[in-house]
């Protein structure tokens, strides 16, 4: 076990800014006690959080591990576990974690932990990594895909995570990856979770202003009343889906969010498809959240402004609760289309900032700069 001269194993959690830093800061206060309980009596740990953009400008695993090793040498820690919200790849598979017993290093890619219970999964992964690195070094040859970690259960408890192949020249001597349909879905959900699509709602102020204005005008429009009063539920659903798809597509095209690759390899194309699918889901979820908010606002506005006699005169339908609900639903679709037009007033930078995590923004900016060069 790696132990400092004072009898305490010092652990650094090196985290990319934004979500990884928030996750490590939440787990850090309880991590020393949890590690001490699991490692046995008489063992103590000291945990420090270091927030630095160690992934800036690269997704190459070898480069990242060298950066982590250089940072560890300056900090005098026994173990360094780095966390990023970038999806990392190794030989066509999605990387979960790289470990180096010799240098006491770990690299964790958060998207491979999925989109649910991320905090508890990340804490468990960090615990396993620290305990594996603090234990005796394995004697199996580097790159043995079938070997198990010294204290077991890392791959099993985080299924479908499994050991992966490591080349002899790499710094890491133990690797975990995800593969297959379950692994793809897990990473996809993790990427959407890292982008935090709910931030799209406050991030598109001009589009929301246009949507609210459209909804306010539509609510008092007698033509809209007549349409809403006689629209069937299937047509209302079609209007909702159409408006959400329209705004999602408009945001992606207008802000140039679609990921393009000049590489022709199947791996590069799969990676581009993964990024684009996460973009569609991120923006789509954000637009759905906007749609739900518009429905609520339009319903409140209709309850406040509509007169039942005027409504019945224009539509020949009494104004009951179902009519309020139907009108708010239809107006939300109309307002969403207005919001799509209003989103053209937003800058591309504002839309990217609302749709992507900080690491993903930097990655896409770097790709655009490379194409410009």
């Amino acid at each position: 076990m790696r132990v400092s001269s004072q009898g305490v194993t010092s652990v650094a959690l090196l985290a990319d800014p934004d979500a990884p830093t928030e996750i490590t800061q939440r787990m850090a206060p309880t991590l020393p006690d949890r590690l001490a309980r699991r490692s046995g009596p008489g063992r103590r740990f000291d945990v420090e959080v270091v927030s630095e953009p160690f992934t800036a400008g690269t997704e190459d695993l070898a480069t990242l591990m060298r950066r982590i090793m250089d940072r560890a040498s300056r900090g005098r820690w026994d173990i360094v576990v780095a966390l990023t919200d970038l999806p990392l790849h190794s030989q066509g598979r999605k990387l979960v974690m790289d470990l180096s017993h010799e240098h006491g290093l770990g690299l964790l890619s958060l998207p491979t932990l999925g989109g649910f219970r991320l905090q508890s999964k990340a804490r468990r992964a960090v615990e396993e990594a620290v305990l594996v690195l603090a234990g005796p070094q394995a004697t199996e040859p580097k790159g043995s895909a079938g070997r198990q970690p010294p204290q077991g259960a890392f791959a099993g408890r985080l299924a479908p995570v499994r050991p992966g192949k490591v080349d002899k020249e790499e710094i890491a001597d133990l690797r975990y990856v995800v593969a297959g349909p379950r692994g793809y879905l897990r990473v996809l959900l993790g990427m959407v979770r890292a982008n935090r699509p709910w931030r799209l709602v406050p991030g598109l102020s001009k589009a929301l202003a246009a949507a609210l204005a459209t909804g306010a005008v539509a609510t008092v429009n007698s033509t809209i009343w007549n349409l809403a009063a006689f629209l069937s539920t299937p047509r209302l659903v079609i209007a909702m889906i159409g408006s959400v798809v329209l705004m999602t597509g408009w945001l992606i095209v207008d802000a140039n969010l679609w990921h393009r690759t000049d590489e022709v390899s199947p791996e590069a194309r799969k990676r581009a498809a993964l990024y684009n699918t996460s973009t569609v889901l991120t923006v789509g979820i954000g637009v759905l959240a906007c749609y739900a908010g518009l429905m609520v606002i339009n319903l409140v506005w209709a309850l406040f402004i509509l007169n039942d006699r005027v409504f019945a005169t224009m539509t020949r339908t009494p104004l009951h609760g179902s009519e309020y609900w139907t009108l708010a639903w239809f107006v939300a679709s109309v307002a969403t289309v207005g919001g799509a037009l209003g989103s053209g007033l937003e800058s591309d930078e504002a839309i990217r900032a609302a749709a992507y995590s900080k690491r993903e923004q930097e990655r896409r900016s770097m790709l655009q700069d490379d194409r410009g060069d």
Side-chain angles (χ1 to χ4, degrees):
M1 176 178 179
R2 299 171 63 91
V3 182
S4 66
S5 58
Q6 292 80 19
V8 179
T9 300
S10 59
V11 179
L13 302 182
L14 178 62
D16 264 334
D18 205 14
T21 295
E22 295 174 9
I23 290 171
T24 53
Q25 287 175 339
R26 285 196 292 266
M27 75 171 69
T30 61
L31 195 57
D33 291 338
R34 294 178 64 90
L35 290 170
R37 284 197 302 268
R38 294 189 58 187
S39 60
R43 295 179 176 178
R44 293 186 297 159
F45 294 83
D46 179 65
V47 177
E48 178 182 352
V49 175
V50 180
S51 179
E52 291 182 8
F54 69 94
T55 60
T58 185
E59 297 178 67
D60 180 65
L61 289 180
T63 301
L64 293 178
M65 289 299 284
R66 284 195 296 270
R67 289 182 180 180
I68 298 168
M69 185 169 61
D70 292 342
R71 186 64 182 89
S73 64
R74 299 197 305 271
R76 298 180 180 179
W77 299 290
D78 299 309
I79 294 173
V80 176
V81 178
L83 296 86
T84 180
D85 55 2
L86 275 182
L88 301 175
H89 304 264
S90 170
Q91 301 178 4
R93 297 189 175 186
K94 285 74 179 176
L95 177 82
V96 179
M97 178 171 279
D98 264 357
L99 296 172
S100 171
H101 288 84
E102 179 182 357
H103 303 286
L105 307 178
L107 171 61
L108 173 64
S109 177
L110 292 172
T112 50
L113 300 181
F116 305 101
R117 298 186 292 112
L118 180 59
Q119 183 68 44
S120 61
K121 289 179 181 178
R123 186 196 64 225
R124 192 168 64 198
V126 170
E127 287 179 15
E128 296 288 353
V130 172
L131 293 174
V132 168
L133 293 173
Q137 185 169 346
T139 57
E140 288 86 343
K142 178 182 286 193
S144 176
R147 74 182 191 181
Q148 296 297 318
Q151 298 190 16
F154 179 81
R157 292 181 62 183
L158 295 176
V161 179
R162 63 193 66 177
K165 183 179 179 181
V166 183
D167 294 331
K168 293 182 178 180
E169 64 273 11
E170 295 189 64
I171 295 175
D173 53 39
L174 188 58
R175 171 169 294 156
Y176 294 98
V177 296
V178 291
R182 286 182 62 200
Y184 182 92
L185 179 61
R186 186 186 180 99
V187 174
L188 181 61
L189 293 176
M191 291 173 67
V192 174
R193 170 66 174 76
N195 287 335
R196 295 189 280 191
W198 53 87
R199 297 189 306 180
L200 196 68
V201 178
L204 299 178
S205 57
K206 294 183 177 65
L208 284 176
L212 290 171
T214 303
V217 173
T219 302
V220 297
N221 187 293
S222 59
T223 302
I224 298 295
W225 296 353
N226 282 288
L227 287 173
F230 295 100
L231 280 176
S232 62
T233 299
R235 288 179 179 272
L236 288 169
V237 172
I238 292 173
M240 178 184 70
I241 294 174
S243 63
V244 169
V245 170
L246 176 64
M247 186 167 185
T248 301
W250 179 263
L251 287 172
I252 292 174
V253 172
D254 186 55
N256 195 25
L257 302 183
W258 198 254
H259 177 82
R260 296 177 177 84
T261 178
D262 297 328
E263 301 179 43
V264 296
S265 65
E267 181 178 344
R269 293 187 179 278
K270 288 180 181 178
R271 190 179 305 178
L274 181 65
Y275 283 125
N276 287 329
T277 304
S278 71
T279 295
V280 171
L281 288 177
T282 298
V283 178
I285 292 172
V287 172
L288 279 173
C290 292
Y291 189 97
L294 288 171
M295 282 189 67
V296 173
I297 293 172
N298 292 331
L299 180 60
V300 173
W301 174 239
L303 289 170
F304 175 76
I305 201 70
L306 292 186
N307 180 280
D308 54 349
R309 291 183 180 180
V310 176
F311 186 89
T313 301
M314 299 299 298
T315 65
R316 298 181 181 179
T317 302
L319 185 58
H320 298 309
S322 59
E323 280 67 36
Y324 279 113
W325 170 254
T326 301
L327 179 62
W329 189 359
F330 181 58
V331 169
S333 299
V334 176
T336 300
V337 175
L341 300 176
S343 66
L345 301 174
E346 302 278 5
S347 66
D348 292 353
E349 291 75 15
I351 296 176
R352 292 193 190 100
Y356 292 129
S357 68
K358 190 174 182 63
R359 297 303 100 201
E360 182 65 6
Q361 291 176 53
E362 291 178 352
R363 189 191 69 81
R364 288 175 179 264
S365 177
M366 181 184 68
L367 289 176
Q368 288 188 342
D369 291 343
D370 290 343
R371 292 195 186 100
D373 294 339

